[in-house]
Amino acid sequence: MRHLLGIEGLRRADIEALLGRAEAHLHGGPDASHVLRGRVIANLFFEDSTRTRTSFEMAAHALGAEVLNWTTAGSSVSKGETLLDTVRNIEATGPVALIIRHRSSGAPHLVARHVRCAVVNAGDGTHEHPSQALLDAFTLRRRWGRLDGRTVLIVGDILHSRVARSNLHCLTALGAKVVLCGPPTLLPPGLESFGAELTTNLDAALPRADAVMCLRVQSERQGENFFPSTREFSRMYGLNAARAERLKPEALVLHPGPMNRGVEIAPAVADGPRSVILEQVAHGVAVRRAILEEVCR
Amino acid sequence: MSSTILLSRGRVVDPRNGVDGVRDVLVRDGTIAEVSEAPLKVQDARVVDATGKLVLPGFIDLHVHLREPGEEGKETILTGCMAAVAGGFTAVVAMPNTKPVNDSVLVSEYVKAKAREARLCHVYLAGAITKGLQGEEMAEMGALVGAGCVCITDDGRPVMNAGLMRRALQYAQLFNLPVMVHEEDLTLSGKGVMNEGRASTRLGLTGIPPSAEVAMVARDMVLLEETKGRLHVAHVSCEGSVRLIREAKRRGLNVTAEATPHHFILDDEAVGAYDTHARMNPPLRTRRDIEAVREGLVDGTIDAIATDHAPHGVLEKQVEFDKAWNGVVGLETALGLTLSLVREGVMSLQRAVALLTDGPARAFGLAGGHLAAGAPADITVVEPEAEWTVDSARFFSRSRNTPFHGRRLTGRVAQTWVSGRLVFEDGQIKESR
């Protein structure tokens, strides 16, 4: 695998190999601190992020790499430099991989066509967030062993969610059934063709789910008339304590973060016994070590 | 300077005059003198052997961006005309979204002067509907017509103000002027960058629903019916628009329409992995829309094939998809793409030729588009079986933004004659003086 631009198109075997390697990292395994010793990984964050950037940084350090942390603030981007010029300049300093977060869908694809080093998509616009999907799958796999036959319900702003897209491809490839739930304005056309089931009725979908993933609702969407108010959204699609009661006893709750507590997820649910939200974060480092190892081979 | 040219034994296809067969075409002093079934013997004529070739009326493109004045780095009137004649076009209509906008006699005169200097093909002008294309105040239509504008249009922008659009349709009747419209309801297209559908969902790109176009076509048909004006719908891209235009024509409204090769060849899957060469407005639609546009081309709902030739530099295209500019160059690939519809059995050769010649000429009331005696000697000679590969590096256009680079096409322009002058032959622009 030269780049990791998305989950779409990866085979089950590719995904399982990455998850297997992440498992080894999680257990400590043999010392990996020499794997990328003396090499540089460039973290290029054109969009704000805390957990993804930190997680990739820790993963790179664990493999012995140096990390170049770059953000748009104070860079030549604010002087009008194009994405390709910025990236080519950074590539010229010799990193083995570029980790790219960008608000435009497809930006990592554009970069990958014009650089020789590896490119890892750390979230592009409303397209994909592959490392997040892998760590979500990893978290579920650790709980369940296998994902085959399980049903994962993803609820919220599906239209603008790169996490939903990557998870749809990833979970489906691993044999799970994915149900996508949200108001009709936030369910884009054509999702069924990727194997998803669509519903607008959260209450009806909850009892079937083995896991529920709540997505962050971006407050700016309210002004765009996708839904009347955050309050109404929360009432219709928020995972509150009463709704969580409708879940199977052993069902899990996930959230890719950052959370709007009290909007898409109630604090009691986020911090409750079903929640694996902090496990997701912890697993992120192991999964990203596996990704860096793979693309830098 | 008098000149006599005899194009002998080519297959003449001239839809307006119902000609399809081997003919001799005699040109005298820039005008068609005679089209004869029997071989002609003419003293002192320059004889061009057209055996095995198609002899067609020169193509007319109703929708071309020449970028001059203002964006000469993308195209100039000269390079645009070179691309036109290389593609077999003997006349183009230059859109007004130049910098400054063609909403005045001054800009019209400038474009005409540059076109005269280029001396390659006829350059007709489209003036703006509104000053500065701002959609607020009507431009001086009478002055624009006086300066030679053959239609008015706000080009890439819709006239969102329905009241203003209604008045424009009424006022243009003073001059029997077609009002050409880019049909897009901006409140529906929003920040969209490609067609809304499976492909936009997969790519996470904001979609433009077909309703953005269809709703505006519907509005304008209502206004057209009421005003009895004359409307030309630019670059029809979807099924709903074709249906509405078809119905309007049946009811006798004075409406014409055009479709571009990219909209009848490519669907939204052509965006692939964020290929900005597939970014255009209206966006590439679905297979079903392509079929509907093709049906419209065949049954006469759509009158003309136009390229919407829209040159852009690398800087406008080698960027994030949502930051890229809309548009593709089209003059040099239009013939091959149109002929592919003939090869696929979608339409007859006669219909394809009509869509490039007679249809556009009638839509805007332009000279040419046919080969009867007395018509201007604007002629395109085509080698119908010649195969070639699109190489954007070899375009005469100054820009390279095409989604068809590398595509195999059949059918190549051998010669282009404008007013009896050979301006293009065997891949070369002929010295125009």
Side-chain angles (χ1 to χ4, degrees), chain B residues 349-401:
Chain B
L349 178 63
Q350 289 73 20
R351 182 62 194 153
V353 173
L355 286 162
L356 289 165
T357 61
D358 184 41
R362 284 181 193 273
F364 282 10
L366 305 176
H370 73 119
L371 295 176
D378 297 339
I379 303 167
T380 301
V381 180
V382 169
E383 295 172 81
E385 301 304 327
E387 285 191 33
W388 60 290
T389 302
V390 178
D391 178 359
S392 61
R394 302 184 64 177
F395 281 168
F396 286 96
S397 170
R398 195 166 266 190
S399 291
R400 309 275 169 261
N401 50 310

Side-chain angles (χ1 to χ4, degrees), chain B residues 148-163:
Chain B
C149 289
V150 298
C151 88
I152 50 165
T153 178
D154 274 2
D155 186 50
R157 302 189 196 190
V159 180
M160 282 297 287
N161 181 332

Side-chain angles (χ1 to χ4, degrees), chain B residues 284-302:
Chain B
L284 298 174
R285 303 284 187 186
T286 64
R287 222 42 241 180
R288 190 174 160 154
D289 294 302
I290 290 177
E291 293 307 324
V293 168
R294 289 176 169 193
E295 278 167 31
L297 287 165
V298 171
D299 72 11
T301 301
I302 298 170

Side-chain angles (χ1 to χ4, degrees), chain B residues 198-239:
Chain B
R198 184 186 185 275
S200 66
T201 295
R202 181 175 72 82
L203 294 166
L205 291 171
T206 311
I208 301 174
S211 58
E213 177 175 310
V214 183
M216 280 297 255
V217 173
R219 180 200 77 173
D220 286 344
M221 292 311 142
V222 171
L223 296 176
L224 187 63
E225 177 150 39
E226 197 168 78
T227 58
K228 308 290 177 237
R230 185 171 165 194
L231 189 81
H232 177 77
V233 182
H235 43 48
V236 171
S237 77
C238 48
E239 189 185 20

